[in-house]
Amino acid sequence: MSKWQIKNLLGSITYGIRLELLETIEKLEVIFVRIEYYISKRKTNEIIVNSFEALIDHIADFWQNEAKLDIYPRKMATWLSDYLEWLGYPDFDYQTILNAIYNKIDKAEEEAFLAKTLDIKDPDVKAKIRKIDLDLPATNRTEFLSEEIDNLIEEIPTKIKSSIFYFDQDNKMHTFETENEIERQEKDVKKYSCTVSFENPLDVPLKDVMVNNIVPYGYKVKNYETIGFKTIDPAKKLLDDGLQLSWVIPEIQIKQEAKIKLNLERRISRTILMNIGDAVNILNTYFNIIPFEKNYTASDSFSNIQEIIDNLIIEDQIPKTFNLLEARPTDPYGLNLQKMELDQLIKWTYSPLEIGKSLKHTYLLSEHEFYVLNKFILKAESQDVPILEIVRITEPNIQFYEFLISFYIKLNDKIKEIYIKEKIPNNVNVTMQYPDSIEKSLEIIDDNIIQVWKIVPKIHKNQFEFGYICSGETVINEFPIELHIPELKIDLKNESSPQMEKRTFFLPELHYFLQKNRRFK
């Protein structure tokens, strides 16, 4: 393999770079090179790259951030084209490299624009902007673009791509790529993990094995675990398709397996359509979901720093493992929410948006897919078998501030009548109930409204289900419940908030029915 003496940057005595050719590739855009960085003839870092764009990125980053030198495109192109010709890559001529450097400078300006527009604070997220060609109608553009953005939503990947580099005993480099599933954890459905493994296939120990993981931006890396080698911190790099984590494993013994487990959490994925005149740009960014009191919150902003935007449409994907409790602002622009198979899509439409206008959207989320708010088990003193069991399940879904509430009653004894009483806020109304045969009445006690459901179980059934949808300007997560059975002279009260039980449920038929037959205000 070719090795060359350290080449100084622009004549600098202190800073230098050495390139080592690892493999000759005929394709113009593919290049396998090891980059070694030196300060005062002391090597400070090294990395293997397999693309020309990555080579330009790494050298330019070192040039600017370590050597603290400005990039002069023509000087840098002359320097690097000469160097690559020495290595045996004559196709990377001066003009090719100059165009790549200018492209990087344009990207830097683009990233600066996005940073100001989106107020990006997360160092592990790279926003993207791209221009799309649309045949815009002369009229009704807002409606047209509002429908078009749905076709531009990018699906959140479910796999992590990894590439592994190592050298055999003949110093020949080997590389292979793999994809590993991102899996939800059973104990906490909000969290995900992905494990990448590599077993030494040779009869000799391997030195300096490099593993690159590309984590999609829809996920946040919470932490990581290493198995089979000492824990080391990976180098990070923002790519167009995700955050790259680069690990250099010092040694892997014969037949030994090395594993990297990444623990992840979902982010909210945001797609922004920006229409000015006949031009349409799509912006993609992401923001985190963070704990807030007993729930979670997420917020992101947008600032118009250039010219009047004719149409601005923002669509956010909220993971289905969270329930949306509240979205702000509510005025003057309406909230349009639709629940898809994988995520909840929330759309905001602004037409137009003035120069200097700043927007901030905030979501309050619940961590549960469902709540078990109350569970009553009534037993007779002389029997172990319960007389009856009652469970109330509540699904918050704040499109129009609503809650879907389902009761499941199991009877092991004949009971003529059961009364379920609920203390509800003044501004909450029942908008639908099922079945209609259930009698409902209201009582007012000490200025509190008590909602009373009268249940007359059928003799031939030992299970009974009913439910309703309630909505109002403010819907709280739960309200007290009381169970009354006259013939048994039993009153069970739950005046205080019960301890919520985290549990996901397979949707019973009643719950499914209520979901499919919602009535809104």
Side-chain angles (χ1 to χ4, degrees):
M1 297 296 174
S2 303
K3 266 194 176 180
W4 297 92
Q5 193 63 28
I6 300 170
K7 191 170 185 70
N8 294 329
L9 296 177
L10 296 180
S12 168
I13 298 175
T14 305
Y15 296 95
I17 291 175
R18 181 167 67 190
L19 302 181
E20 178 185 352
L21 175 63
L22 300 177
E23 189 174 344
T24 302
I25 305 293
E26 295 298 327
K27 287 184 179 180
L28 184 62
E29 291 301 318
V30 180
I31 181 171
F32 277 92
V33 172
R34 185 200 304 273
I35 313 173
E36 297 177 351
Y37 300 106
Y38 289 81
I39 298 178
S40 299
K41 295 186 178 181
R42 178 178 58 86
K43 186 168 73 171
T44 61
N45 192 19
E46 68 176 52
I47 192 165
I48 297 172
V49 300
N50 61 353
S51 73
F52 177 58
E53 182 181 0
L55 175 67
I56 296 292
D57 284 347
H58 282 291
I59 292 179
D61 287 343
F62 181 78
W63 201 309
Q64 287 182 298
N65 299 327
E66 296 295 331
K68 306 296 182 184
L69 296 172
D70 293 330
I71 289 182
Y72 297 95
R74 296 185 184 278
K75 289 185 178 181
M76 184 175 177
T78 301
W79 176 90
L80 189 53
S81 62
D82 179 41
Y83 209 155
L84 290 176
E85 186 177 357
W86 286 356
L87 282 177
Y89 284 100
D91 288 336
F92 291 96
D93 57 14
Y94 168 82
Q95 191 61 48
T96 301
I97 295 175
L98 182 64
N99 293 341
I101 295 171
Y102 275 125
N103 183 52
K104 178 174 176 56
I105 292 174
D106 291 340
K107 281 189 175 181
E109 293 176 353
E110 182 180 281
E111 289 172 2
F113 166 78
L114 290 172
K116 288 182 180 179
T117 301
L118 304 177
D119 190 24
I120 299 172
K121 297 183 177 65
D122 193 333
D124 292 341
V125 167
K126 179 180 180 181
K128 297 185 295 184
I129 182 172
R130 67 186 189 277
K131 186 176 181 179
I132 61 172
D133 294 324
L134 287 177
D135 186 12
L136 297 178
T139 58
N140 299 325
R141 285 190 174 182
T142 302
E143 293 77 8
F144 172 82
L145 292 171
S146 181
E147 294 181 5
E148 188 64 31
I149 192 175
D150 295 335
N151 301 323
L152 301 169
I153 299 296
E154 296 182 354
E155 290 188 13
I156 302 299
T158 59
K159 296 181 179 180
I160 286 182
K161 296 180 181 180
S162 301
S163 55
I164 300 173
F165 304 87
Y166 67 92
F167 292 88
D168 61 19
Q169 56 266 49
D170 298 323
N171 205 31
K172 181 180 179 181
M173 189 186 75
H174 296 263
T175 178
F176 67 92
E177 295 183 351
T178 182
E179 290 187 346
N180 297 276
E181 293 284 348
I182 298 174
E183 300 177 346
R184 285 171 59 177
Q185 297 181 2
E186 293 183 2
K187 293 182 179 179
D188 192 337
V189 295
K190 303 183 307 302
K191 296 186 178 181
Y192 300 77
S193 64
C194 181
T195 301
V196 180
S197 61
F198 171 71
E199 183 177 348
N200 181 357
L202 304 181
D203 295 329
V204 295
L206 294 178
K207 303 283 188 180
D208 297 333
V209 178
M210 174 173 281
V211 180
N212 292 332
N213 310 132
I214 300 179
V215 181
Y217 288 124
Y219 299 88
K220 176 182 179 182
V221 180
K222 291 293 292 181
N223 51 59
Y224 44 80
E225 306 168 40
T226 60
I227 303 170
F229 65 99
K230 184 179 179 181
T231 300
I232 54 177
D233 291 329
K236 296 181 180 180
K237 183 173 179 61
L238 301 179
L239 306 178
D240 285 339
D241 54 348
L243 174 67
Q244 177 178 281
L245 303 179
S246 297
W247 314 74
V248 179
I249 304 175
E251 186 175 58
I252 302 180
Q253 295 296 328
I254 301 171
K255 303 304 180 183
Q256 181 184 355
E257 185 179 39
K259 291 185 179 181
I260 300 171
K261 181 181 178 182
L262 303 174
N263 295 313
L264 313 168
E265 287 185 352
R266 272 288 307 272
R267 288 187 172 106
I268 291 179
S269 171
R270 167 163 286 189
T271 302
I272 302 172
L273 185 150
M274 190 167 60
N275 162 229
I276 301 175
D278 291 330
V280 177
N281 288 323
I282 293 294
L283 286 64
N284 293 102
T285 187
Y286 307 84
F287 53 104
N288 294 324
I289 300 170
I290 59 176
F292 175 73
E293 295 179 351
K294 293 183 179 180
N295 294 305
Y296 288 77
T297 187
S299 64
D300 204 11
S301 59
F302 178 92
S303 298
N304 183 8
I305 63 172
Q306 46 177 8
E307 55 185 302
I308 294 176
I309 301 175
D310 297 328
N311 290 284
L312 180 75
I313 303 172
I314 299 174
E315 194 150 275
D316 292 333
Q317 293 175 261
I318 296 180
K320 70 172 184 177
T321 48
F322 290 89
N323 283 307
L324 176 64
L325 299 181
E326 188 174 356
R328 293 184 180 274
T330 55
D331 291 318
Y333 301 97
L335 169 66
N336 179 13
L337 180 146
Q338 50 185 318
K339 203 166 187 178
M340 308 298 286
E341 181 180 355
L342 298 179
D343 293 327
Q344 300 170 90
L345 297 181
I346 301 174
K347 186 182 296 183
W348 307 85
T349 302
Y350 300 86
S351 179
L353 190 72
E354 299 81 8
I355 301 173
K357 179 73 173 179
S358 294
L359 308 170
K360 185 174 183 180
H361 302 98
T362 301
Y363 302 119
L364 180 63
L365 307 170
S366 160
E367 67 175 335
H368 305 281
E369 288 192 14
F370 294 98
Y371 290 138
V372 178
L373 287 182
N374 302 88
K375 185 174 183 179
F376 289 104
I377 299 178
L378 180 62
K379 292 184 179 180
E381 293 183 359
S382 59
Q383 299 177 5
D384 291 332
V385 178
I387 297 174
L388 64 84
E389 298 176 58
I390 296 180
V391 173
R392 180 175 73 172
I393 299 176
T394 300
E395 180 192 359
N397 189 341
I398 309 308
Q399 182 176 14
F400 302 106
Y401 299 98
E402 69 172 13
F403 271 72
L404 186 153
I405 298 177
S406 302
F407 281 89
Y408 303 91
I409 304 172
K410 183 178 180 181
L411 303 173
N412 294 315
D413 204 346
K414 294 181 181 180
I415 298 177
K416 293 181 180 180
E417 294 178 341
I418 302 172
Y419 292 86
I420 296 177
K421 300 183 179 182
E422 299 170 300
K423 185 190 297 182
I424 62 174
N426 295 336
N427 58 350
V428 172
N429 299 309
V430 173
T431 58
M432 176 186 177
Q433 73 178 68
Y434 183 85
D436 295 333
S437 58
I438 299 294
E439 292 185 23
K440 175 195 167 187
S441 60
L442 296 177
E443 298 177 356
I444 298 179
I445 302 176
D446 298 329
D447 295 329
N448 293 317
I449 298 178
I450 308 298
Q451 185 170 266
V452 183
W453 303 95
K454 179 183 177 181
I455 300 168
V456 181
K458 295 180 180 179
I459 297 175
H460 63 278
K461 286 184 64 176
N462 70 338
Q463 293 187 3
F464 195 86
E465 303 175 350
F466 84 96
Y468 61 92
I469 296 173
C470 64
S471 63
E473 293 181 1
T474 302
V475 175
I476 58 178
N477 287 357
E478 54 182 308
F479 32 88
I481 184 174
E482 178 182 342
L483 178 66
H484 179 59
I485 306 175
E487 63 180 297
L488 298 180
K489 297 181 180 180
I490 291 176
D491 285 292
L492 294 176
K493 294 184 179 181
N494 191 347
E495 292 291 345
S496 60
S497 299
Q499 180 67 38
M500 290 186 188
E501 182 178 345
K502 298 181 183 179
R503 187 187 301 173
T504 55
F505 281 84
F506 172 76
L507 289 182
E509 291 182 4
L510 171 69
H511 211 77
Y512 181 80
F513 175 87
L514 291 174
Q515 281 187 317
K516 295 297 183 183
N517 294 275
R518 292 170 183 249
R519 296 177 188 168
F520 304 119
K521 296 189 299 180

